Amino acid sequence: MSQTTNTILMIRPVHFRMNEQTAVNNYFQEDLDLKNAEINAKAQEEFDAFVDKLRAVGVSVIVENDIKALNAPDSIFPNNWVSFHENGDVALYPMFAENRRVERREDILLRLEEAGFKIENIIDYTEAENEGVFLEGTGSLLLDRINKKAYCALSARADEDLFIEFCEDFDYAPMLFTAFQTVEGKRLPIYHTNVMMCLAEKFAVICLDSIDDKKERKSIVKSLKEDGKSIIAITEAQMHHFAGNMLQVQGHLNQRYLVMSKAAHDSLTVAQINDIEKHCPILSSSLETIETCGGGSARCMMAEVFLPKA
């Protein structure tokens, strides 16, 4: 069992823009005064440069192109609709925004099989959409695959009952809490757990300030420490620069890297960078357009492939 993988699935966008259906509760999104075609072209440039950087250190990146006819503005964030597991299981997730549901593509799963990966079972939670219940993949769930714990900040996109069902199906201990951000003077739930927290093998980057309930905060800290993880705390301001939206991956010779955007990297203090680099080097790439319009960053763009080889 491993916490990190050297294989990542990424979707190259063709219709990237600000998604009006997700903007209702993703307060990280902002409107850019650009035409959609310009926004998509900039997003493609950022995407290609990011893929090049990952491949340069030995990460195996499987790039699939989005399909224009689907008109899916957020297809660049595949980790919300699918997760891949070491036993050959694949989970498909219910999505909050109707125009994101078209992102779930069987042809992508078939292509992974053609590339030599083994899919044993598909666990499909998508019927929950009919009930207005959502759980958006590893955006909502942070999986500690070694210690079999799943961390989840409840929100409109992370339903408690469905989260518990996932934990029972995949044999994870549920670690539930609520995380907030200040929007126009009000404390509102953060839409995805993975913007305020990152779980690496030996450390966690987390915005503890966003967990308002002291008991919940204490419980999450205790759980991480029990598992021997160093805790690197970030501020709410740093979280808004996507400093929580990071992913540890493997490159050449099993070297680990912590992947993040340039904005996230620039927001970190020297002490925080040193704390991270005690464990592994940082790999960062500029994702300014994607972050501004999409309200997601580096971690959201990478669906980790843990499937066994056939």
Side-chain angles (χ1 to χ4, degrees), residues 46-59:
E46 291 172 1
F47 177 93
D48 293 341
F50 185 26
V51 169
D52 287 347
K53 283 190 177 182
L54 288 165
R55 286 176 171 162
V57 297
V59 180

Side-chain angles (χ1 to χ4, degrees), residues 1 9 66 104 127 137 144 150 219 232 258 262 290 297 304:
M1 186 64 70
L9 168 71
D66 187 15
R104 296 187 296 252
E127 281 205 355
D144 185 335
S219 156
I232 299 167
L258 190 65
K262 183 179 182 297
I290 293 165
S297 187
E304 302 154 278

Side-chain angles (χ1 to χ4, degrees), residues 83-211:
S83 64
F84 302 103
H85 302 264
E86 280 190 1
N87 62 354
D89 284 351
V90 172
L92 299 178
Y93 297 95
M95 314 268 274
F96 172 81
E98 282 183 36
N99 67 0
R100 291 209 63 190
R101 298 171 193 173
V102 295
E103 293 172 30
R104 296 187 296 252
R105 285 167 50 194
E106 201 178 325
D107 63 304
I108 288 176
L109 303 185
L110 291 172
R111 252 190 300 280
L112 285 171
E113 287 185 308
E114 283 164 16
F117 292 98
K118 208 163 153 185
I119 294 175
E120 297 285 1
N121 298 299
I122 294 178
I123 296 94
D124 189 342
Y125 298 104
T126 59
E127 281 205 355
E129 286 167 353
N130 302 330
E131 313 295 319
V133 167
F134 313 106
L135 187 69
E136 296 196 331
T138 53
S140 300
L141 306 161
L142 259 66
L143 302 179
D144 185 335
R145 292 170 186 262
I146 294 168
N147 299 296
K148 297 301 279 183
K149 288 179 181 175
Y151 292 81
C152 180
L154 296 177
S155 73
R157 306 196 199 185
D159 176 78
E160 182 171 355
D161 290 342
L162 195 54
F163 170 61
I164 299 295
E165 188 182 327
F166 168 90
C167 289
E168 285 170 356
D169 291 344
F170 283 84
D171 195 25
Y172 279 85
M175 304 301 300
L176 267 173
F177 60 100
T178 314
F180 296 91
Q181 65 190 117
T182 301
V183 181
E184 292 171 1
K186 290 184 190 152
R187 294 296 274 169
L188 298 175
I190 292 170
Y191 78 108
H192 277 161
T193 316
N194 77 0
V195 293
M196 53 74 62
M197 183 178 181
C198 155
L199 270 181
E201 271 174 344
K202 295 180 178 168
F203 64 99
V205 177
I206 182 168
C207 180
L208 292 169
D209 295 349
S210 68
I211 307 175

Side-chain angles (χ1 to χ4, degrees), residues 223-295:
S223 172
L224 293 167
K225 284 188 171 168
E226 274 171 3
D227 297 329
K229 292 198 192 297
S230 308
I231 294 174
I232 299 167
I234 56 169
T235 64
E236 231 175 280
Q238 289 174 319
M239 178 184 76
H240 278 276
H241 288 95
F242 295 97
N245 198 242
M246 305 164 165
L247 181 67
Q248 194 179 37
V249 300
Q250 288 178 33
H252 290 304
L253 304 173
N254 292 334
Q255 171 67 58
R256 273 55 169 168
Y257 293 88
L258 190 65
V259 181
M260 65 188 74
S261 71
K262 183 179 182 297
H265 190 236
D266 289 350
S267 78
L268 297 174
T269 64
V270 172
Q272 288 167 326
I273 289 169
N274 289 341
D275 284 344
I276 291 166
E277 288 182 336
K278 281 176 198 164
H279 300 282
C280 64
I282 290 169
L283 189 151
S284 70
S285 198
S286 175
L287 302 171
E288 193 181 348
T289 311
I290 293 165
E291 289 175 328
T292 306
C293 290

